[in-house]
Amino acid sequence: MAGHILQPMFNPRGVAVFGASEREGAVGTMVLANLVEAGFKGAIVPVNPKYTQVQGLPCVPDLLHLDQPVDLAVIATPSVSVPGILRQCGMAGVKSAVILSAGFGEGGEADRSEGKRLMRESLELAQQFGMRLMGPNCLGVMRPCIGLNATFSHNQALPGKLALVSQSGALVTAVLDWAQSRGVGFSAIASTGDAADLDFGDLLDYLALDTQTTGILLYIEGIKDARHFLSGLRAAARMKPVIVLKSARHAAGSKAAATHTGALIGADDVFDAALTRAGVVRVERITQWFSAAQILASGLGLRGDQLLILTNGGGPGVMATDRAADLNVPLAKLSDATVTALNAALPATWSHGNPMDIIGDATAERYETALRLSLADPGVDMIIVMLTPQAMTDPTACARAVIDVVKSQTGYKKPVLACWMGEKLVNEARDMFDAANIPQFRSPETAVEALSYLLAHRRNQQLLMQTPGPALSEQYPDVAGARMILAAARSAGRKVLTTRESKAILNAFHIPTTQTILARDADEAMLAAESLGFPVALKISAPTLTHKTDVGGVRLNVRSVQTTRQQAQEMLDRVRAQHPEAQIEGITVERMAEVGHARELLLGVTRDPVFGPVIAFGMGGIAVEVLRDRALALPPLNGLLIDRLIAQTHAARMLGPFRDAPAVDRKSLDQILMQVSELVCELPEVAGIDINPLLAGELSVVAVDARIELTERMPIQEPYAHLAIHPYPASFQREIVLDNGQVIKVRPIRPEDAEIEQHFVRGLSEETRYFRFMRMLNELTPEMLVRFTQIDYDREMAFIALYTPAVGEAVEVGVTRYSLEPDGESAEFALVVADEWHGRGLGSHLLEMLIDYARQRGVRYLFGDVLLQNEPMRQLAARTGFSEQVLESDKDAIRIMRRL
């Protein structure tokens, strides 16, 4: 199998430094010195035509006559020289380059067009030679475990298990200085700079599979390609913890929003929603970055969220309790049996609750008893044990007692964190906790925050596992009819739909709305009201007036013909007088919705410039901007994602029964959210939706008012390209009939297929497993199982073949998959069929289906590596149009390839 395309950058056999010199303060001088000081064992080649020797190393004028292997070029020369250097590198077979130089059209430069031309030329050369570029305008890369420091930082990094990827080189230098003083090490460090070629998505893809990395730290200032970023982020988060620090949290998302939804949502809100869906944890400070990494990389598991705080001081216990309340971490309630046992073992003055204050003179024995009984309580899921070094306390003995209890846990081990406050008196205890791999923190607040990261990670990992499809309703929507309405509005030169058009779109997706009649004048309004039945609502109809209430354009609960005529005329006169420039179509007359005890909700969609459509839910009504109660989610949605979306809002508390109001019809509410998600998926031309209010009661849920905006231009894209997360491709489910008449169901793989996938691999013969994986393997490792079942449908596909016997559940009998290469045109594929199903034509069906899908997705070449003795696969490939190529890197295998 082919190695990762970034392998030459992070594990190079040799490094060439262009611009290497001995001039003090020069970037090339510092890079070369860092490589030597870090102890890089590969070839170090200074390249500079002005020197024959630099810093004691032989210096060459170019790479044309190089006699040692070089995989990485570090370029510290003026931007105008970079294209020529890249051409030279490409001809010498160098596959990766780090461009430290600036001058490629960054903001504020005098001649930006020339810089951009140089960057275009550099990228074209990189593509021509199959080379990947980091930068330009970056700090460089580090791989401490092999002594690689290809940066101009003044710091050396310690080896460790954390990877750091940052858009800011300045932040990397500050973090390195901070980490070095605290003994924190790194597996890899990358400064992306302007990310003209390699970006977060590429680096995350590499680090996800890097065996040296157990956790990933990201510093992000902005994202260019949301689909690529989330694709890499989700792939990495499935394999190991990812912790994100992002700046500019309070930047306004939109200064002039036409809808309530747009006014409520900022860019940072959307970024948060994207991170949550990607299964990662976000922090706000550098110290939190490393705290989160420590706790998430510790391997602690959680089965619940109930926290117990055990302390020998009341003050620290209260501080921890306050922070838990801030972070919505619930406190555990001790069972009666536990309280009784504690009463027998603790002084009568203990707190008898949570926080559990075991008094300032607590001994090691008291800590041991309290912790052991607390861990045995089924209502306790995690514990923070705190100590303040008081006169009667032995911090070291108490730490030893805590460690002994934690180690004595059998089976599932509940998380226990330590917080020994102070400095000199508790240093030995802290060292003991570190040696025992028990996370320890210096303050109650940071300990609680660490557990909140565990909880957030668990919640977000559940969201990461969700793979909803675009079509979720039992009734198919009238997508064609909806598109005709949108096209008619666009043809009329309008980007904002009328209320009637907006409601028609909602109706096409089976979203209930109030019946609406447009009246041109007060007399027509009177007739419309009589036809609909009283009471009615009157609303001004003027496309340019966004918020009708603000201009006096709404009258509710109108109960007679006479009042209808009077109110309609007054409304028309008032709005015309106040807004003479507005094009007023008339008045819409609607029957007042009868939903029972109504709650006013907001359901909307806005289009983020980076992440695309975002769905918002919260409290609605005229005070929506004041209340600012909303939660966001990226489409597509499913039941679990909808539950999480609603639960994040204050509106969620209103949906259940309270006072004399029964609970709302939650099934209908969930269905409407599902339909809005489907609408967003199927209609990329929709830029925004405002359903405010969405009236929800115990009888029904109805969209009372609606407004839909269109994009500036009609998108011409492949299906779902406007979404940041590709939906589950449910439309590619098939039933195939084999040569013997057996019916097999083939569908894209899902995360919940992990168990049947593992069972399938275990059931393969030893030879078949060896043919598939090219090594001896009895079963899939947990990491492989995640990679094979939790795939990104944007760049991967796996079709599993299922057979359902007359008695019993469906079993997997075959699987084929491909993974897109970084060039975006070629993909590596694999195919395996259960031994007892060989010779029935299943392999041919699966391979043809994979080829068809890959062709639709724009893949131009499919290739795979096959062992020479795997004759059945070679014959199948030949029948399907694949050709064979010799693999110089592996004499036992050949490469099969087909142009699609």
Side-chain angles (χ1 to χ4, degrees):
M1 295 183 181
H4 197 281
I5 198 164
L6 294 187
Q7 189 74 2
M9 181 171 288
F10 287 97
N11 292 282
R13 293 170 297 169
V15 181
V17 182
F18 285 84
S21 76
E22 295 185 344
R23 182 165 53 89
E24 188 175 350
V27 171
T29 301
M30 289 187 279
V31 172
L32 187 60
N34 280 340
L35 279 168
V36 173
E37 183 185 343
F40 180 62
K41 297 297 188 289
I44 302 177
V45 183
V47 184
N48 192 328
K50 299 177 182 178
Y51 300 91
T52 57
Q53 182 173 307
V54 176
Q55 298 183 32
L57 296 172
C59 184
V60 298
D62 53 50
L63 293 185
L64 298 181
H65 302 95
L66 195 64
D67 58 356
Q68 45 192 333
V70 168
D71 296 317
L72 172 63
V74 182
I75 303 175
T77 61
S79 58
V80 68
S81 66
V82 171
I85 290 173
L86 290 176
R87 182 181 298 280
Q88 184 185 140
C89 290
M91 295 174 67
V94 178
K95 290 301 180 184
S96 59
V98 176
I99 304 175
L100 307 178
S101 323
F104 290 92
E106 298 89 351
E109 294 191 4
D111 191 359
R112 297 185 65 190
S113 61
E114 174 62 12
K116 290 184 176 181
R117 183 195 66 76
L118 290 170
M119 195 68 257
R120 281 195 304 271
E121 186 179 350
S122 298
L123 290 172
E124 288 169 2
L125 286 164
Q127 188 171 17
Q128 176 186 338
F129 290 107
M131 188 186 314
R132 298 311 302 266
L133 308 180
M134 183 81 77
N137 194 22
C138 71
L139 182 72
V141 297
M142 291 188 187
R143 186 71 156 170
C145 63
I146 62 169
L148 176 67
N149 181 354
T151 74
F152 56 93
S153 168
H154 290 290
N155 309 90
Q156 293 288 348
L158 298 172
K161 292 294 184 180
L162 290 176
L164 169 61
V165 182
S166 171
Q167 281 179 315
S168 165
L171 185 87
V172 171
T173 60
V175 168
L176 282 175
D177 192 46
W178 182 93
Q180 199 168 34
S181 64
R182 289 162 176 79
V184 176
F186 297 90
S187 60
I189 296 173
S191 160
T192 62
D194 294 337
D197 178 26
L198 291 173
D199 61 11
F200 283 113
D202 302 295
L203 292 164
L204 285 164
D205 185 65
Y206 172 77
L207 294 171
L209 301 176
D210 179 33
T211 57
Q212 298 294 320
T213 299
T214 59
I216 302 171
L217 307 178
L218 298 185
Y219 172 75
I220 298 174
E221 293 173 347
I223 298 299
K224 297 178 181 177
D225 184 340
R227 178 72 74 88
H228 192 209
F229 168 69
L230 283 180
S231 176
L233 191 62
R234 286 160 65 86
R238 292 183 179 109
M239 307 293 291
K240 52 198 67 171
V242 180
I243 303 100
V244 175
L245 176 65
K246 183 182 182 295
S247 58
R249 291 184 296 112
H250 298 293
S254 174
K255 293 185 178 179
T259 64
H260 291 293
T261 306
L264 282 173
I265 296 172
D268 199 60
D269 300 312
V270 180
F271 187 82
D272 241 358
L275 291 186
T276 299
R277 188 71 179 275
V280 307
V281 172
R282 183 179 183 182
V283 297
E284 297 178 0
R285 301 188 299 274
I286 290 176
T287 52
Q288 293 175 333
W289 222 6
F290 289 95
S291 293
Q294 177 191 359
I295 194 74
L296 293 176
S298 66
L300 294 175
L302 276 179
R303 291 185 178 175
D305 59 1
Q306 301 297 305
L307 168 65
L308 177 78
I309 300 166
L310 197 165
T311 178
N312 70 338
V318 173
M319 293 167 67
T321 302
D322 285 345
R323 192 60 182 139
D326 293 339
L327 299 171
N328 297 313
V329 178
L331 296 186
K333 186 178 187 307
L334 295 169
S335 68
D336 292 341
T338 302
V339 172
T340 300
L342 289 167
N343 283 336
L346 300 180
T349 52
W350 80 280
S351 62
H352 294 82
N354 187 7
M356 183 190 296
D357 183 356
I358 59 175
I359 312 306
D361 63 351
T363 62
E365 291 75 20
R366 197 182 297 171
Y367 266 98
E368 184 274 333
T369 302
L371 180 56
R372 177 172 45 79
L373 292 172
S374 300
L375 286 170
D377 191 318
V380 174
D381 298 310
M382 51 190 180
I383 299 177
I384 296 175
V385 184
M386 299 194 297
L387 178 144
T388 58
Q390 301 183 34
M392 297 76 71
T393 307
D394 183 345
T396 304
C398 292
R400 190 174 296 111
V402 169
I403 292 168
D404 289 343
V405 174
V406 172
K407 286 187 173 180
S408 69
Q409 292 189 89
T410 57
Y412 165 66
K413 292 178 170 53
K414 295 182 180 180
V416 176
L417 277 60
C419 175
W420 261 225
M421 300 177 68
E423 197 62 44
K424 183 178 179 181
L425 295 175
V426 299
N427 279 337
E428 185 180 353
R430 287 176 179 158
D431 291 341
M432 291 168 61
F433 285 127
D434 289 339
N437 291 319
I438 294 176
Q440 57 90 9
F441 300 87
R442 293 171 179 262
S443 72
E445 295 89 348
T446 54
V448 174
E449 286 171 1
L451 283 177
S452 76
Y453 303 141
L454 265 184
L455 290 170
H457 187 253
R458 187 182 70 150
R459 286 194 303 266
N460 295 351
Q461 285 286 304
Q462 288 180 315
L463 301 187
L464 173 63
M465 291 282 285
Q466 304 307 303
T467 53
L472 299 166
S473 59
E474 295 177 1
Q475 296 176 285
Y476 284 103
D478 183 7
V479 178
R483 285 180 175 151
M484 289 179 67
I485 296 171
L486 298 179
R490 197 181 289 276
S491 297
R494 290 185 290 113
K495 288 196 304 174
V496 179
L497 273 60
T498 66
T499 300
R500 289 186 305 150
E501 289 170 332
S502 298
K503 287 186 175 181
I505 297 292
L506 299 184
N507 290 334
F509 284 82
H510 310 295
I511 298 171
T513 63
T514 50
Q515 186 179 351
T516 302
I517 298 177
L518 177 65
R520 303 292 177 182
D521 54 35
D523 290 336
E524 287 189 10
M526 179 177 63
L527 294 174
E530 189 68 66
S531 301
L532 290 172
F534 293 98
V536 297
L538 307 177
K539 300 176 184 177
I540 199 72
S541 180
T544 57
L545 299 178
T546 302
H547 305 310
K548 303 178 185 70
T549 304
D550 295 350
V551 298
V554 177
R555 301 287 190 277
L556 302 177
N557 285 308
V558 180
R559 297 182 175 275
S560 69
V561 171
Q562 296 86 346
T563 309
T564 299
R565 191 177 188 285
Q566 175 190 350
Q567 296 270 11
Q569 192 60 57
E570 288 179 359
M571 185 190 302
L572 287 169
D573 292 344
R574 177 180 177 179
V575 174
R576 283 171 177 156
Q578 292 182 352
H579 299 276
E581 78 289 350
Q583 181 183 354
I584 298 173
E585 297 176 327
I587 289 174
T588 58
V589 185
E590 306 169 13
R591 175 78 183 266
M592 290 293 294
E594 297 178 358
V595 300
H597 295 76
R599 285 79 149 172
E600 287 190 329
L601 304 174
L602 166 74
L603 176 54
V605 174
T606 189
R607 183 68 73 97
D608 183 77
V610 176
F611 291 101
V614 185
I615 297 174
F617 175 84
M619 288 185 182
I622 60 174
V624 63
E625 281 99 343
V626 178
L627 297 173
R628 299 195 68 81
D629 173 48
R630 82 284 180 273
L632 308 179
L634 300 184
L637 302 180
N638 64 8
L640 176 64
L641 295 171
I642 287 171
D643 285 343
R644 290 291 177 85
L645 175 65
I646 293 174
Q648 293 176 62
T649 65
H650 295 302
R653 303 174 191 172
M654 298 174 19
L655 302 182
F658 69 94
R659 295 187 179 178
D660 63 337
V664 304
D665 181 356
R666 183 58 189 268
K667 183 178 179 181
S668 295
L669 177 59
D670 289 0
Q671 189 61 38
I672 288 175
L673 276 157
M674 209 83 90
Q675 299 307 125
V676 168
S677 171
E678 190 171 353
L679 188 160
V680 169
C681 290
E682 298 298 333
L683 300 179
E685 55 265 61
V686 170
I689 302 174
D690 223 11
I691 303 175
N692 183 30
L694 177 71
L695 287 186
E698 68 273 17
L699 302 179
S700 62
V701 183
V702 178
V704 172
D705 205 353
R707 177 188 176 91
I708 292 179
E709 296 180 52
L710 303 182
T711 54
E712 289 287 342
R713 301 178 187 83
M714 176 64 188
I716 304 174
Q717 300 170 313
E718 63 183 48
Y720 313 125
H722 63 299
L723 302 176
I725 298 175
H726 196 289
Y728 176 76
S731 61
F732 286 90
Q733 299 183 70
R734 302 281 189 274
E735 281 194 349
I736 58 177
V737 181
L738 301 183
D739 299 343
N740 62 359
Q742 287 178 307
V743 177
I744 301 293
K745 181 179 180 180
V746 181
R747 62 165 173 79
I749 203 164
R750 295 192 293 248
E752 53 265 37
D753 293 325
E755 186 175 344
I756 62 170
E757 175 79 354
Q758 183 70 280
H759 183 75
F760 169 71
V761 172
R762 286 174 181 157
L764 297 174
S765 68
E766 194 172 287
E767 180 184 61
T768 300
R769 282 198 300 267
Y770 184 71
F771 282 171
R772 167 61 181 90
F773 300 106
M774 297 188 180
R775 58 190 172 100
M776 300 305 296
L777 185 76
N778 292 324
E779 65 177 19
L780 299 175
T781 65
E783 293 77 16
M784 294 174 73
L785 202 56
V786 169
R787 281 168 47 205
F788 286 174
T789 59
Q790 299 179 34
I791 68 171
D792 179 355
Y793 303 108
D794 188 45
R795 59 179 184 174
E796 302 172 83
M797 176 48 72
F799 289 113
I800 60 171
L802 301 170
Y803 172 67
T804 305
V807 179
E809 298 181 350
V811 293
E812 183 178 340
V813 295
V815 60
T816 185
R817 64 180 66 244
Y818 79 71
S819 180
L820 196 64
E821 293 289 290
D823 61 15
E825 294 186 343
S826 58
E828 184 175 9
F829 86 100
L831 169 69
V832 62
V833 173
D835 292 79
E836 61 271 24
W837 289 79
H838 288 181
R840 306 188 196 185
L842 178 57
S844 299
H845 282 289
L846 286 174
L847 187 52
E848 289 291 354
M849 192 167 174
L850 189 74
I851 289 170
D852 288 344
Y853 182 84
R855 188 182 288 119
Q856 290 182 47
R857 297 290 297 164
V859 177
R860 297 182 62 188
Y861 299 95
L862 268 185
F863 72 90
D865 295 345
V866 181
L867 290 171
L868 289 172
Q869 67 264 42
N870 190 354
E871 198 60 39
M873 185 66 217
R874 295 176 67 181
Q875 291 176 7
L876 172 61
R879 291 196 304 270
T880 321
F882 284 80
S883 59
E884 293 188 353
Q885 297 178 358
V886 175
L887 274 176
E888 293 184 5
S889 59
D890 189 348
K891 302 301 181 184
D892 297 324
I894 50 96
R895 175 159 294 179
I896 56 175
M897 179 172 284
R898 172 175 165 173
R899 181 170 185 148
L900 305 185

